[in-house]
């Protein structure tokens, strides 16, 4: 499984309906699970992003589809970062020679 960091911000619609946000999170967790992925962590944050999620998905295409589905719902905008674990980081750096 590949790990991704998702940075999420409420849209105007999402902020207006913020009390429904926990239900939307539950639906998103279920949806990603049905796509073969999972949420590993979720945080409400202060600052530039409203929320941060650490998720896993079988591949980039699954995560791209999931992010598009979230955005299509109209309550959040996402930015996604592909995350390399420490061992992969070390391999990448070592491969530089």
């Amino acid at each position: 499984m590949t790990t991704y960091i998702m940075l999420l911000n409420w849209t105007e619609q999402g902020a207006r309906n913020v009390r429904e946000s926990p239900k939307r999170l539950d639906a998103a967790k279920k949806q990603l699970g049905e796509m073969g992925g999972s949420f590993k962590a979720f945080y409400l944050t202060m600052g530039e992003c409203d929320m941060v999620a650490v998720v896993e998905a079988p591949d980039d295409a699954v995560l791209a589809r999931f992010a598009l589905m979230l955005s299509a719902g109209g309550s959040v905008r996402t930015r996604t970062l592909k995350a390399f674990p420490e061992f992969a980081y070390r391999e990448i750096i070592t491969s530089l020679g």
Side-chain angles (χ1 to χ4, degrees):
M1 287 278 201
T2 303
T3 301
Y4 303 87
I5 310 298
M6 297 188 78
L7 307 175
L8 301 106
N9 283 303
W10 282 302
T11 61
E12 186 176 326
Q13 172 185 316
R16 234 186 353 261
N17 299 309
V18 72
R19 287 176 182 81
E20 296 173 11
S21 182
K23 290 178 187 174
R24 292 193 303 263
L25 174 60
D26 292 341
K29 287 180 173 183
K30 182 179 181 207
Q31 186 175 46
L32 184 57
E34 291 170 355
M35 298 169 81
S38 64
F39 275 69
K40 295 300 171 190
F42 177 84
Y43 303 95
L44 175 67
T45 55
M46 298 181 347
E48 187 177 334
C49 297
D50 295 320
M51 298 156 286
V52 174
V54 180
V55 301
E56 287 185 346
D59 57 44
D60 293 348
V62 167
L63 204 283
R65 194 167 68 247
F66 176 68
L68 289 168
M69 293 167 92
L70 285 179
S71 293
S75 293
V76 294
R77 289 190 188 91
T78 66
R79 285 182 287 158
T80 303
L81 309 168
K82 186 171 183 174
F84 295 86
E86 183 180 344
F87 78 87
Y89 151 79
R90 291 182 182 277
E91 287 178 353
I92 291 166
I93 300 301
T94 300
S95 73
L96 296 174

